[in-house]
Amino acid sequence: MTRWEYARLEYSSTGTFGNDRFMDWSASFYYFGGVSRWGTDERFDDLRHLNRAGNAGWQAYDRDPVYVGTPRRLHSVTYSLRRAAPEEPPQPTAQ
């Protein structure tokens, strides 16, 4: 049976919803080891960060967008990620 490690990638806008057509987007990676900021993009480009996670063995299995305002604008996207946990060596048994 496969054991999984879980993480999430949060990609959210950093600006206001004024007349700024191209908002900055911030990427943060949350995992069992803590939080890692993956940088800020001048335009929406989540594929770069998803590819980075994929290269480290993570698989995206869920996507949760958050929209706000009228007209509806994308405010953030959270990706749920998982990867197979490294197998632990068998523990010796007492004889």
Side-chain angles (χ1 to χ4, degrees), residues 25-79:
W25 291 83
S26 175
S28 299
F29 184 73
Y30 297 84
Y31 65 113
F32 58 90
V35 179
S36 178
R37 273 199 84 233
W38 280 7
T40 302
D41 302 326
E42 290 185 13
R43 293 188 181 191
F44 186 86
D45 183 18
D46 59 347
L47 275 179
R48 180 170 69 103
H49 303 290
L50 287 171
N51 285 336
R52 179 178 175 181
N55 288 338
W58 294 99
Q59 305 170 1
Y61 67 91
D62 190 32
R63 177 179 182 263
D64 184 30
V66 175
Y67 297 96
V68 296
T70 303
R72 292 170 47 100
R73 294 187 184 197
L74 183 63
H75 176 67
S76 67
V77 181
T78 300
Y79 295 93

